[in-house]
Amino acid sequence: MLTMTSYRREGRRIALLAQYAPQDPASPQLISNHGMHMVEASLRAAEIPDLDLHVLDMVETDLPAVISDLLWLDPDIVGFSTYLWSFPFFLEIAQHLKLADLSRLIVMGGPSARPSMLNLPPYRESHQYIDALVINEGELTFLEIVESRDRSADALGKISGLALPDNGGWMETPARPLGDLNELASPYQMNLAPRGGLGVLQTYRGCPFTCSFCEWGTLESPKRVRSVDDLCREFDGMEDHDVHGALIVDAGLNLNQLAFKNMKEAARTTQIFEHRQLICEVYPAKIQSEHIEFLGTIGQPLVGMGLQSFDNEVLAHVERSYDEKQFANHLQQLTDVASVALEIILGLPGDGPVNFRRSFARARTLSCALRVYHCVVLPSALMVRAPEHYALDYDMRSLKMKACLGWTSQDLQREIDFLNDQAAQQDGQCGEFFWVFPPPA
């Protein structure tokens, strides 16, 4: 057991760390670590006089070398942007840095930085060397930590939006009021984002649905939507970074009417996507003619259509629904203007091998690509929202479902083998978390 010191460094030498996911044959493009760069932009925009900020945006990871470099740098605060692929790696780095100096502040943010994740058996001792978790939005929360000279446990307890170690568990401070997205500093506008490749675009935050397998949450008020002027500046920044397209990381292109309207107008004004890719998700039941018309103006529109299953009884377990007639009509409209990939999930609670195989077969009759995702028990989704009778059994590190309501471990492994075989036969790709199939010949 570490003996935590009440003293914490007051300096402002800051290290921010993010790690790209390993290259996956089913997902060939590297996506910018946008969350970390948003935090970086907020810190630099604040113009803190003595800020000494170092950003480690890592592709290859050599644990001893990273630890050695960080010990030489000797930062006062280390912030980690954690995802499934980086979480165990960053925990090991955090432990080494804390053991080297107990007064160093260790902060973790990102989707995996949740008490539910850290309460899993492999990570249960981590409260000894993590000083704070940033819950949900991190830009202003991390900025407040850096600006404060007092970083004692009592002082951190007064900062909104954190989870702090508490007698072997975690105590959450009050939720941070949600800010205006137009006031957040932009990595593209500040020339901090990686050049080239695929840009990352966010026009709003939240989602009007509460699907239990997903972490988006609930839709917020209209002030959470980026304005036309702000998006025009963002597109100009992307243009300066020579991106070949953009990935919209909103919950869906068609789930916030005002955000869509503003984005469409900004795209029309700047012509940013006239000869570029635009990758987005659409919610099947919310597709309107205006969305189809907009996609028809894009140079290379790539659309994911998240159906999850063709069985409404299965979808009821995850708070979704499906209308066959409406779906068929919308799919035809989308495929007329865009490259479309239907998305279903393997291992959903309440599903089973027979129903899943029906969904797969039905999907392969359609004139679009198919992505099959292995169900993952995410920290803010099924991990905390699944009822007990779902009987979730999942890998504590990858979070991939191993068995649950409707699925034995043998059932699930049999369908994994089936998908691997089908991918080999149909020129598909097998990834760590999903399979990709091209449109039927």
Side-chain angles (χ1 to χ4, degrees):
M1 177 71 71
L2 296 179
T3 303
M4 302 300 279
T5 179
S6 60
Y7 166 76
R8 297 231 172 90
R9 295 167 174 233
E10 297 179 356
R12 294 202 176 106
R13 180 177 296 149
I14 313 300
L16 295 179
L17 279 73
Q19 177 191 2
Y20 287 97
Q23 280 293 86
D24 192 314
S27 182
Q29 298 192 73
L30 283 177
I31 310 301
S32 170
N33 287 309
H34 194 66
M36 180 194 68
H37 289 297
M38 287 291 291
V39 172
E40 177 193 8
S42 293
L43 292 176
R44 295 195 187 281
E47 299 182 344
I48 303 170
D50 54 349
L51 180 68
D52 182 13
L53 180 57
H54 301 260
V55 174
L56 283 75
D57 201 4
M58 299 179 289
V59 177
E60 300 297 330
T61 54
D62 180 333
L63 181 64
V66 173
I67 292 171
S68 177
D69 288 347
L70 286 168
L71 289 175
W72 178 85
L73 179 64
D74 195 27
D76 302 294
I77 303 175
V78 185
F80 297 91
S81 180
T82 62
Y83 292 81
L84 282 179
W85 56 86
S86 61
F87 190 65
F89 178 70
F90 282 162
L91 283 179
E92 194 162 354
I93 294 174
Q95 185 173 14
H96 279 85
L97 295 177
K98 178 57 75 172
L99 286 170
D101 187 343
L102 295 181
S103 69
R104 193 188 328 272
L105 196 71
I106 304 294
V107 182
M108 287 195 163
S112 288
R114 298 291 183 271
S116 56
M117 185 78 167
L118 289 158
N119 286 332
L120 296 177
Y123 312 123
R124 205 164 280 160
E125 300 303 313
S126 60
H127 66 275
Q128 299 181 65
Y129 47 89
I130 297 175
D131 297 298
L133 304 176
V134 176
I135 304 298
N136 298 322
E137 300 181 9
E139 296 94 349
L140 300 181
T141 303
F142 195 79
L143 173 60
E144 189 171 343
I145 292 172
V146 172
E147 287 182 325
S148 176
R149 289 294 189 189
D150 184 356
R151 296 168 190 155
S152 65
D154 287 344
L156 290 175
K158 297 174 184 176
I159 295 178
S160 300
L162 296 176
L164 306 172
D166 182 41
N167 295 320
W170 298 89
M171 179 274 294
E172 294 190 21
T173 64
R176 177 170 292 275
L178 299 174
D180 188 336
L181 297 183
N182 298 293
E183 296 178 359
L184 292 179
S186 163
Y188 291 105
Q189 296 171 41
M190 295 183 67
N191 198 28
L192 301 174
R195 302 194 67 81
L198 195 62
V200 177
L201 173 62
Q202 186 172 62
T203 69
Y204 68 96
R205 288 180 178 175
C207 179
F209 299 101
T210 56
C211 308
S212 62
F213 59 85
C214 181
E215 292 191 307
W216 282 110
T218 56
L219 188 66
E220 299 99 358
S221 63
K223 73 176 183 178
R224 303 283 294 158
V225 171
R226 296 180 73 175
S227 69
V228 173
D229 288 344
D230 188 39
L231 287 169
C232 284
R233 289 189 292 271
E234 190 77 343
F235 293 155
D236 288 343
M238 287 186 175
E239 187 100 49
D240 291 341
H241 280 73
D242 298 322
V243 301
H244 65 244
L247 168 68
I248 298 182
V249 294
D250 305 333
L253 178 76
N254 58 336
L255 292 181
N256 187 307
Q257 181 63 21
L258 180 57
F260 171 74
K261 177 184 175 183
N262 290 352
M263 191 267 291
K264 181 175 72 171
E265 177 60 22
R268 185 196 64 78
T269 300
T270 62
Q271 298 294 301
I272 179 74
F273 299 120
E274 185 176 11
H275 302 292
R276 289 183 172 89
Q277 282 186 351
L278 182 65
I279 304 175
C280 65
E281 293 287 320
V282 298
Y283 187 77
K286 297 286 186 179
I287 296 171
Q288 304 292 330
S289 59
E290 61 184 338
H291 306 122
I292 304 296
E293 291 168 5
F294 169 73
L295 290 168
T297 69
I298 304 301
Q300 189 180 358
L302 305 174
V303 177
M305 196 173 185
L307 190 64
Q308 322 318 343
S309 172
F310 284 92
D311 189 316
N312 268 313
E313 289 187 14
V314 173
L315 293 176
H317 285 278
V318 290
E319 303 175 49
R320 292 291 287 266
S321 62
Y322 158 72
D323 182 307
E324 170 67 29
K325 182 178 180 180
Q326 189 180 54
F327 165 77
N329 180 49
H330 288 157
L331 179 62
Q332 180 60 58
Q333 290 178 309
L334 282 172
T335 54
D336 285 344
V337 298
S339 297
V340 180
L342 187 67
E343 298 164 350
I344 62 176
I345 298 179
L346 170 68
L348 277 176
D351 201 357
V354 174
N355 272 337
F356 171 77
R357 195 70 71 93
R358 287 195 191 114
S359 287
F360 179 85
R362 171 84 171 87
R364 295 310 285 151
T365 68
L366 303 172
S367 58
C368 63
L370 173 65
R371 283 199 289 265
V372 182
Y373 290 90
H374 192 136
C375 186
V376 176
V377 181
L378 296 173
S380 297
L382 283 172
M383 195 179 293
V384 293
R385 293 166 56 190
E388 188 174 348
H389 74 274
Y390 279 16
L392 304 186
D393 179 15
Y394 55 95
D395 185 280
M396 297 291 180
R397 295 190 181 276
S398 71
L399 305 187
K400 290 194 289 189
M401 193 76 78
K402 296 195 296 183
C404 63
L405 177 68
W407 294 94
T408 67
S409 58
Q410 293 82 5
D411 290 337
L412 202 47
Q413 186 57 54
R414 191 179 306 115
E415 296 310 298
I416 290 170
D417 294 338
F418 166 76
L419 290 170
N420 290 337
D421 289 342
Q422 290 297 303
Q425 295 174 27
Q426 300 182 31
D427 294 324
Q429 296 286 346
C430 302
E432 174 65 19
F433 292 95
F434 60 101
W435 295 260
V436 176
F437 298 86

